[in-house]
Amino acid sequence: MQQKKSLIILLLAFTSVCFAQQTKHDLYWIRESGGERNEYVFFRKEFQINDRQAQGTLNVYVDSRYALYVNGAYIGFGPARSHHAHPYYDTYDLAPFLKTGKNVIAVKALSNGILTFILREYVGGIALWGAIKDGNTTIDLDLGKDWLCRKSEGYDQTSPRFNFATGAIEDWDVRKDKNWNLENQQLSNWKKPVKIKNQQNFGAFSPRTIPPLTQDEVSLTRVLGAFRISDKEDIYSFRIPLPDETMVEYQQRRYDAVVYTYIYSPEDREVKGGTWWGEYYLNNEEVPMDTYQPHPTFRENRVFKLKKGWNKLVGQCKSIWGALDFYLALPRGMGLEVSATQKAGSEELFYTIGPFTDKKAAMLENIPNFPVGFPDKKMSSYQVTQKRSQSMNSPARDIVWQTPDFDAPLLYSESLNEALQIPVSQSGVTYFFDMGEMQLGRIYLEGSFPEGTILDIGFSEFIDSLGIPWVYKNYHIGPGMRFVTCGGTERYESFNPYGARYLRINVYGNNAPAAITKVGM
């Protein structure tokens, strides 16, 4: 009985402390209504420090996630998982990171804007408060005092979900947000944060109850392989985002959509290529499957029997998991052209009709039997042009479609004691890395890359039968991210932490030699 009384007293004392530390603060964003789907917003505050012994703390809460920087140094990630009615905030000691002169505190904040298993609600908002004691001066760090914000211009808001349980894949063109968290930024396009309207969704804040990530760096144990990406095929792709903010929207199978184009061949020939899932018809005849299917979860190999001239290709595609995705791979060096308008070099590669969310899809019942004049006037009102410049923006899927050329290995140091030298290549290069064991953390890559180089990073717990990190083991999970580099020697790291042992990194689009110097989590 005495033990029970002691336990009750201890619990009551703990509860009293927690309630004593509860505090209520207003949340802000760049608009009164809060955040949008996969929206990254930067917040920053500049101030002068005169006393080398300046002390201060900052408290942070963000719906959904944040990364904190002080004078360019990465400080922490959070917050801990919690309900909006009882949100947890994080507290940071700023003293080790302050300096005399100008200082910058910067926060990269993410609004998921979609229902996940991590956060059941999605409003979008940030609360910051605290103070710095600079000699006899107190600097108020409340978000309503002298902070500025702007929406990221580099993150792609339409990028697909990582999977059903989490938010969207990270796809960041760093050129558009270069040095966002450093001094001497051009601040003309920054503005004051706006207090969000629905404050009632959030209860009083309580201190974080579980430890944060340690911020320890774990470097890779070995390089498993380095190869040129195969240049034997031309790959054409596009992606049409569909509503996915709720589980019902994300999991809904849309009515079939039509994708069609024309393939030019200088002569009659039979070629092997690949398609996304669906049924495909070439000149009104079904395109047969090839017998060899190495990765049926993301590619269907087919035999195209082309006639001399323009050949009409029609596909009846399925759309699910928040998008209509499409890939077409054809052999390179055979004089083949792809054009929706039957014009060589055309930017208009495909036309799509749909996907439909209602019974308009009944028009699509006899796809292979469309007349020569397809589509008719009635259907053309639903036609959308897919151009060459449009991005697939699905790095995990792009990684597995860009196959390694095992006949073109590159020299490398297995321990990465020396930088991996990346040559200029039309198709790019691919690297396989082993972290030694499962890790949980933010993936990072350091190196020197010309501006505009694309870094696609995929990660996995396993390797497949070919010794390649098995990035697409499950077709509805997209474990990848993308960075478009800003030039020079930089560090590129994921915003969110992930669990992985093996990494696969594709590097392409570099117009000059590049180098990878460090990889880890």
Side-chain angles (χ1 to χ4, degrees), residues 199-223:
Q199 300 285 337
Q200 68 276 9
N201 286 347
F202 298 89
F205 297 106
S206 299
R208 184 185 187 118
T209 58
I210 62 173
L213 293 174
T214 64
Q215 307 304 326
D216 295 333
E217 285 194 10
V218 179
S219 298
L220 63 90
T221 58
R222 60 184 176 137
V223 183

Side-chain angles (χ1 to χ4, degrees), residues 97-138:
F97 310 102
L98 299 175
K99 62 180 183 178
T100 55
K102 182 185 286 188
N103 287 253
V104 179
I105 299 176
V107 181
K108 182 195 295 184
L110 166 67
S111 165
N112 271 340
I114 50 181
L115 188 65
T116 70
F117 286 20
I118 299 172
L119 294 168
R120 299 297 293 172
E121 300 172 277
Y122 45 98
V123 178
I126 177 172
L128 302 170
W129 68 97
I132 295 173
K133 189 68 173 177
D134 179 24
N136 295 324
T137 303
T138 299

Side-chain angles (χ1 to χ4, degrees), residues 381-416:
S381 61
Y382 305 108
Q383 177 177 295
V384 179
T385 302
Q386 307 299 334
K387 294 187 177 181
R388 185 181 298 274
S389 60
Q390 290 178 325
S391 171
M392 179 62 181
N393 83 343
S394 187
R397 292 177 181 171
D398 285 345
I399 284 172
V400 294
W401 272 78
Q402 296 171 338
T403 57
D405 186 346
F406 290 110
D407 295 326
L410 301 172
L411 294 176
Y412 62 89
S413 168
E414 185 174 297
S415 61
L416 201 56

Side-chain angles (χ1 to χ4, degrees), residues 124-181:
I126 177 172
L128 302 170
W129 68 97
I132 295 173
K133 189 68 173 177
D134 179 24
N136 295 324
T137 303
T138 299
I139 301 171
D140 191 344
L141 298 181
D142 188 277
L143 187 54
K145 307 285 181 61
D146 301 324
W147 285 79
L148 295 175
C149 66
R150 77 165 176 85
K151 182 173 179 174
S152 165
E153 298 173 355
Y155 276 100
D156 188 337
Q157 279 192 259
T158 70
S159 63
R161 278 179 178 254
F162 181 92
N163 63 15
F164 67 94
T166 60
I169 286 174
E170 299 176 38
D171 186 346
W172 190 18
D173 187 339
V174 184
R175 297 172 297 180
K176 299 178 180 179
D177 297 321
K178 187 175 181 179
N179 298 332
W180 67 272
N181 58 344

Side-chain angles (χ1 to χ4, degrees), residues 234-423:
D234 285 313
I235 300 174
Y236 309 90
S237 63
F238 64 83
R239 178 177 183 274
I240 301 176
L242 296 171
D244 66 352
E245 292 187 9
T246 68
M247 288 298 137
V248 172
E249 290 174 330
Y250 174 68
Q251 296 175 345
Q252 180 180 350
R253 288 186 179 273
R254 310 284 166 172
Y255 289 97
D256 294 337
V258 172
V259 177
Y260 80 99
T261 189
Y262 294 88
I263 302 173
Y264 175 82
S265 175
E267 60 185 61
D268 292 350
R269 56 159 55 108
E270 185 177 285
V271 301
K272 293 184 178 181
T275 65
W276 195 243
W277 308 309
E279 299 175 13
Y280 294 86
Y281 301 88
L282 186 66
N283 299 323
N284 291 335
E285 293 184 4
E286 187 168 2
V287 183
M289 295 278 244
D290 195 5
T291 55
Y292 176 56
Q293 295 291 112
H295 292 287
T297 56
F298 64 84
R299 171 171 169 154
E300 295 179 343
N301 289 326
R302 297 181 183 273
V303 179
F304 296 87
K305 298 177 180 178
L306 298 170
K307 299 176 182 178
K308 183 178 179 179
W310 290 101
N311 298 258
K312 181 177 66 176
L313 177 68
V314 180
Q316 184 176 16
C317 304
K318 303 289 184 182
S319 57
I320 193 174
W321 312 127
L324 170 63
D325 295 321
F326 182 82
Y327 282 90
L328 171 66
L330 293 172
R332 185 178 292 174
M334 292 187 174
L336 304 181
E337 290 268 1
V338 176
S339 170
T341 59
Q342 302 184 55
K343 294 179 181 178
S346 170
E347 292 295 308
E348 298 176 335
L349 291 184
F350 303 97
Y351 289 135
T352 59
I353 300 177
F356 298 105
T357 57
D358 55 31
K359 294 184 179 180
K360 294 174 184 174
M363 297 186 299
L364 312 181
E365 290 177 349
N366 300 309
I367 287 179
N369 300 317
F370 279 130
V372 176
F374 162 79
D376 60 26
K377 292 182 180 179
K378 183 177 180 182
M379 299 187 69
S380 63
S381 61
Y382 305 108
Q383 177 177 295
V384 179
T385 302
Q386 307 299 334
K387 294 187 177 181
R388 185 181 298 274
S389 60
Q390 290 178 325
S391 171
M392 179 62 181
N393 83 343
S394 187
R397 292 177 181 171
D398 285 345
I399 284 172
V400 294
W401 272 78
Q402 296 171 338
T403 57
D405 186 346
F406 290 110
D407 295 326
L410 301 172
L411 294 176
Y412 62 89
S413 168
E414 185 174 297
S415 61
L416 201 56
N417 291 329
E418 300 177 2
L420 295 174
Q421 301 299 326
I422 303 170

Side-chain angles (χ1 to χ4, degrees), residues 401-475:
W401 272 78
Q402 296 171 338
T403 57
D405 186 346
F406 290 110
D407 295 326
L410 301 172
L411 294 176
Y412 62 89
S413 168
E414 185 174 297
S415 61
L416 201 56
N417 291 329
E418 300 177 2
L420 295 174
Q421 301 299 326
I422 303 170
V424 178
S425 171
Q426 181 180 0
S427 54
V429 297
T430 184
Y431 296 94
F432 312 142
F433 301 103
D434 182 6
M435 296 297 299
E437 61 183 359
M438 280 291 295
Q439 304 290 345
L440 173 63
R442 293 175 296 106
I443 299 169
Y444 68 83
L445 169 67
E446 293 182 5
S448 176
F449 307 97
E451 183 177 346
T453 301
I454 298 175
L455 308 176
D456 281 351
I457 303 175
F459 44 96
S460 174
E461 302 173 20
F462 309 99
I463 55 176
D464 65 13
S465 59
L466 298 176
I468 300 174
W470 202 350
V471 173
Y472 240 109
K473 185 172 183 288
N474 297 300
Y475 68 90

